[in-house]
Amino acid sequence: MSARGTLEELLERHGTTYAGEAGIRLRDTPRPLYQLLVLSHLLSARIRAEIAVASARALFSHGLRTPRRMADATWQERVDALGEGGYRRFDERTSTQLGEEALLLLDAYGGDLRRLRREAQGDTDMLGAGLRRFPGIGPAGADIFLREVQSVWPETAPHLDAKALQGAERLGLPTEPDELLRLAKGEDPAVLAAALVRGALDSG
Protein backbone atom coordinates (compact mmCIF):
# COMPACT_ATOMS: atom_id res chain seq x y z
CA MET A 1 0.00 0.00 0.00
CA SER A 2 1.20 3.52 -0.75
CA ALA A 3 2.08 5.92 2.04
CA ARG A 4 -1.00 7.97 1.18
CA GLY A 5 -3.18 4.83 1.30
CA THR A 6 -1.72 3.81 4.67
CA LEU A 7 -2.37 7.27 6.08
CA GLU A 8 -5.93 7.37 4.71
CA GLU A 9 -6.64 4.00 6.34
CA LEU A 10 -5.14 5.20 9.63
CA LEU A 11 -7.22 8.39 9.62
CA GLU A 12 -10.36 6.41 8.82
CA ARG A 13 -9.71 4.13 11.81
CA HIS A 14 -8.39 6.68 14.27
CA GLY A 15 -9.42 10.10 12.98
CA THR A 16 -10.62 11.48 16.32
CA THR A 17 -8.65 13.56 18.78
CA TYR A 18 -8.40 12.36 22.37
CA ALA A 19 -10.25 15.52 23.41
CA GLY A 20 -13.10 14.59 21.07
CA GLU A 21 -13.17 11.07 22.49
CA ALA A 22 -13.41 12.53 26.00
CA GLY A 23 -16.38 14.68 25.01
CA ILE A 24 -14.45 17.96 25.05
CA ARG A 25 -15.65 20.42 22.42
CA LEU A 26 -12.31 22.12 22.10
CA ARG A 27 -12.45 25.88 21.60
CA ASP A 28 -10.18 28.75 22.57
CA THR A 29 -12.16 29.42 25.75
CA PRO A 30 -11.22 28.75 29.39
CA ARG A 31 -13.43 25.74 30.18
CA PRO A 32 -12.51 23.35 27.33
CA LEU A 33 -8.84 24.36 27.56
CA TYR A 34 -8.88 23.45 31.24
CA GLN A 35 -10.59 20.15 30.46
CA LEU A 36 -7.84 19.43 27.94
CA LEU A 37 -5.24 20.08 30.66
CA VAL A 38 -6.99 17.54 32.91
CA LEU A 39 -7.17 15.00 30.09
CA SER A 40 -3.49 15.53 29.23
CA HIS A 41 -2.62 14.96 32.88
CA LEU A 42 -4.54 11.67 32.96
CA LEU A 43 -3.22 10.45 29.60
CA SER A 44 0.39 11.04 30.61
CA ALA A 45 0.30 8.37 33.35
CA ARG A 46 1.35 4.79 32.67
CA ILE A 47 -2.23 3.67 32.18
CA ARG A 48 -4.26 2.69 29.12
CA ALA A 49 -5.52 5.64 27.10
CA GLU A 50 -9.11 4.39 27.17
CA ILE A 51 -9.06 4.38 30.99
CA ALA A 52 -7.65 7.92 31.06
CA VAL A 53 -10.37 9.10 28.66
CA ALA A 54 -13.11 7.33 30.66
CA SER A 55 -11.79 8.89 33.87
CA ALA A 56 -11.78 12.37 32.35
CA ARG A 57 -15.39 11.82 31.30
CA ALA A 58 -16.24 10.69 34.83
CA LEU A 59 -14.66 13.78 36.38
CA PHE A 60 -16.57 16.03 33.98
CA SER A 61 -19.84 14.15 34.55
CA HIS A 62 -19.43 14.88 38.27
CA GLY A 63 -19.34 18.59 37.44
CA LEU A 64 -15.55 18.98 37.76
CA ARG A 65 -15.28 20.90 34.49
CA THR A 66 -13.61 24.10 35.70
CA PRO A 67 -10.59 24.75 37.91
CA ARG A 68 -12.81 26.33 40.56
CA ARG A 69 -15.07 23.27 40.73
CA MET A 70 -12.05 20.96 40.79
CA ALA A 71 -10.37 22.95 43.57
CA ASP A 72 -13.58 23.10 45.61
CA ALA A 73 -14.23 19.35 45.36
CA THR A 74 -13.00 17.20 48.21
CA TRP A 75 -10.06 14.88 47.72
CA GLN A 76 -12.43 11.92 48.13
CA GLU A 77 -14.85 13.25 45.52
CA ARG A 78 -12.01 13.39 43.01
CA VAL A 79 -10.82 9.90 43.99
CA ASP A 80 -14.34 8.51 43.59
CA ALA A 81 -14.75 10.04 40.14
CA LEU A 82 -11.36 8.72 39.00
CA GLY A 83 -12.27 5.28 40.32
CA GLU A 84 -15.53 5.37 38.40
CA GLY A 85 -13.48 5.77 35.23
CA GLY A 86 -11.22 2.87 36.19
CA TYR A 87 -8.26 5.10 37.11
CA ARG A 88 -7.40 3.28 40.33
CA ARG A 89 -3.67 2.71 40.23
CA PHE A 90 -2.78 6.39 40.55
CA ASP A 91 -6.06 7.76 41.88
CA GLU A 92 -4.92 9.05 45.29
CA ARG A 93 -1.84 10.91 44.04
CA THR A 94 -3.70 12.16 40.98
CA SER A 95 -6.58 13.48 43.10
CA THR A 96 -4.10 15.56 45.09
CA GLN A 97 -2.35 16.78 41.94
CA LEU A 98 -5.63 17.75 40.25
CA GLY A 99 -6.51 19.91 43.25
CA GLU A 100 -3.08 21.55 43.29
CA GLU A 101 -3.14 21.99 39.51
CA ALA A 102 -6.51 23.76 39.65
CA LEU A 103 -5.35 26.08 42.43
CA LEU A 104 -2.18 27.01 40.51
CA LEU A 105 -4.21 27.74 37.38
CA LEU A 106 -6.56 29.97 39.38
CA ASP A 107 -3.73 31.76 41.19
CA ALA A 108 -1.32 32.23 38.29
CA TYR A 109 -3.70 32.68 35.35
CA GLY A 110 -7.13 33.45 36.79
CA GLY A 111 -8.29 30.01 35.63
CA ASP A 112 -7.63 30.90 31.98
CA LEU A 113 -4.92 29.07 30.01
CA ARG A 114 -5.15 31.71 27.28
CA ARG A 115 -3.08 33.90 29.61
CA LEU A 116 -0.32 31.31 29.44
CA ARG A 117 -0.66 31.36 25.65
CA ARG A 118 -0.25 35.14 25.59
CA GLU A 119 2.70 34.91 27.96
CA ALA A 120 4.44 32.44 25.61
CA GLN A 121 4.03 34.83 22.62
CA GLY A 122 4.02 32.03 20.07
CA ASP A 123 7.06 30.26 21.51
CA THR A 124 6.13 26.57 21.81
CA ASP A 125 9.10 25.81 24.06
CA MET A 126 8.00 28.55 26.46
CA LEU A 127 4.44 27.25 26.33
CA GLY A 128 5.63 23.73 27.14
CA ALA A 129 7.69 25.04 30.05
CA GLY A 130 4.63 26.88 31.37
CA LEU A 131 2.53 23.73 31.16
CA ARG A 132 5.16 21.76 33.06
CA ARG A 133 4.73 24.08 36.04
CA PHE A 134 1.41 22.36 36.76
CA PRO A 135 1.56 19.43 39.22
CA GLY A 136 1.32 16.16 37.33
CA ILE A 137 2.16 17.69 33.94
CA GLY A 138 5.60 16.53 32.87
CA PRO A 139 7.11 16.46 29.37
CA ALA A 140 4.65 13.78 28.22
CA GLY A 141 1.62 15.69 29.51
CA ALA A 142 2.83 18.93 27.92
CA ASP A 143 3.31 17.14 24.58
CA ILE A 144 -0.19 15.67 24.75
CA PHE A 145 -1.69 19.11 25.44
CA LEU A 146 0.28 20.69 22.58
CA ARG A 147 -0.67 17.88 20.16
CA GLU A 148 -4.35 18.42 20.89
CA VAL A 149 -4.47 22.22 21.28
CA GLN A 150 -2.97 22.90 17.85
CA SER A 151 -6.52 22.75 16.47
CA VAL A 152 -7.31 26.03 18.23
CA TRP A 153 -3.82 27.46 18.85
CA PRO A 154 -2.43 27.31 15.29
CA GLU A 155 0.92 28.79 16.28
CA THR A 156 1.73 25.45 17.95
CA ALA A 157 1.23 23.52 14.68
CA PRO A 158 2.52 21.25 13.43
CA HIS A 159 3.18 19.54 16.74
CA LEU A 160 4.05 15.95 15.94
CA ASP A 161 6.05 14.80 18.93
CA ALA A 162 8.25 11.72 19.36
CA LYS A 163 5.24 9.47 20.10
CA ALA A 164 3.43 10.56 16.92
CA LEU A 165 6.58 10.17 14.81
CA GLN A 166 7.13 6.72 16.36
CA GLY A 167 3.71 5.79 15.03
CA ALA A 168 4.63 7.08 11.59
CA GLU A 169 7.86 5.04 11.58
CA ARG A 170 6.12 1.85 12.69
CA LEU A 171 3.58 2.24 9.91
CA GLY A 172 6.27 2.85 7.29
CA LEU A 173 5.27 6.50 6.85
CA PRO A 174 7.62 9.47 6.51
CA THR A 175 8.91 10.82 9.82
CA GLU A 176 9.28 14.43 8.68
CA PRO A 177 6.30 16.50 10.00
CA ASP A 178 6.03 18.59 6.82
CA GLU A 179 5.94 15.47 4.64
CA LEU A 180 3.27 13.88 6.85
CA LEU A 181 1.16 17.03 6.62
CA ARG A 182 1.56 17.05 2.85
CA LEU A 183 0.40 13.43 2.68
CA ALA A 184 -2.54 14.23 4.98
CA LYS A 185 -3.79 16.84 2.48
CA GLY A 186 -5.13 19.50 4.82
CA GLU A 187 -6.21 17.23 7.68
CA ASP A 188 -6.29 18.92 11.08
CA PRO A 189 -2.76 18.34 12.50
CA ALA A 190 -4.29 17.49 15.89
CA VAL A 191 -6.31 14.67 14.28
CA LEU A 192 -3.22 13.51 12.37
CA ALA A 193 -1.14 13.49 15.57
CA ALA A 194 -3.76 11.55 17.54
CA ALA A 195 -4.10 8.98 14.75
CA LEU A 196 -0.33 8.48 14.59
CA VAL A 197 -0.13 8.04 18.37
CA ARG A 198 -2.87 5.42 18.24
CA GLY A 199 -0.96 3.79 15.37
CA ALA A 200 2.11 3.62 17.60
CA LEU A 201 0.08 2.09 20.44
CA ASP A 202 -1.63 -0.42 18.12
CA SER A 203 1.66 -1.68 16.74
CA GLY A 204 3.63 -1.35 19.99
Side-chain angles (χ1 to χ4, degrees):
M1 187 184 291
S2 69
R4 173 61 192 166
T6 298
L7 190 55
E8 283 181 340
E9 188 176 287
L10 179 70
L11 288 166
E12 189 172 331
R13 269 187 81 190
H14 295 305
T16 305
T17 62
Y18 284 98
E21 191 180 340
I24 302 168
R25 294 184 179 182
L26 194 56
R27 299 185 301 280
D28 187 26
T29 55
R31 181 178 294 201
L33 290 171
Y34 170 66
Q35 291 171 2
L36 177 59
L37 184 70
V38 171
L39 176 64
S40 301
H41 182 158
L42 299 180
L43 282 167
S44 67
R46 293 182 180 277
I47 202 160
R48 292 203 316 274
E50 54 265 36
I51 291 176
V53 168
S55 299
R57 282 182 166 275
L59 286 165
F60 304 151
S61 74
H62 283 265
L64 308 184
R65 301 184 188 94
T66 68
R68 173 50 59 200
R69 290 295 301 275
M70 188 70 78
D72 287 347
T74 67
W75 178 84
Q76 190 62 53
E77 284 170 340
R78 294 191 295 263
V79 166
D80 290 346
L82 289 166
E84 191 176 299
Y87 204 92
R88 296 187 181 88
R89 186 174 162 197
F90 305 106
D91 55 350
E92 296 186 359
R93 184 183 67 185
T94 300
S95 174
T96 299
Q97 289 175 335
L98 287 171
E100 293 171 346
E101 180 182 273
L103 285 172
L104 178 59
L105 180 56
L106 289 164
D107 291 345
Y109 300 107
D112 188 350
L113 282 164
R114 294 175 302 178
R115 295 188 186 182
L116 174 59
R117 181 190 187 188
R118 287 195 292 272
E119 194 177 88
Q121 297 182 328
D123 185 323
T124 303
D125 289 339
M126 190 180 293
L127 187 55
L131 289 165
R132 291 193 297 274
R133 288 181 59 203
F134 292 104
I137 300 287
D143 267 333
I144 293 164
F145 185 93
L146 291 170
R147 281 200 317 252
E148 296 274 319
V149 85
Q150 60 189 323
S151 289
V152 294
W153 290 358
E155 72 275 15
T156 64
H159 191 83
L160 300 177
D161 64 347
K163 193 71 176 177
L165 296 179
Q166 182 185 62
E169 184 176 16
R170 286 181 175 175
L171 292 163
L173 293 167
T175 54
E176 287 295 321
D178 288 344
E179 181 63 14
L180 285 166
L181 286 170
R182 186 190 67 75
L183 275 174
K185 294 184 177 178
E187 183 61 76
D188 181 345
V191 171
L192 173 62
L196 289 169
V197 168
R198 289 188 179 97
L201 295 172
D202 277 359
S203 57

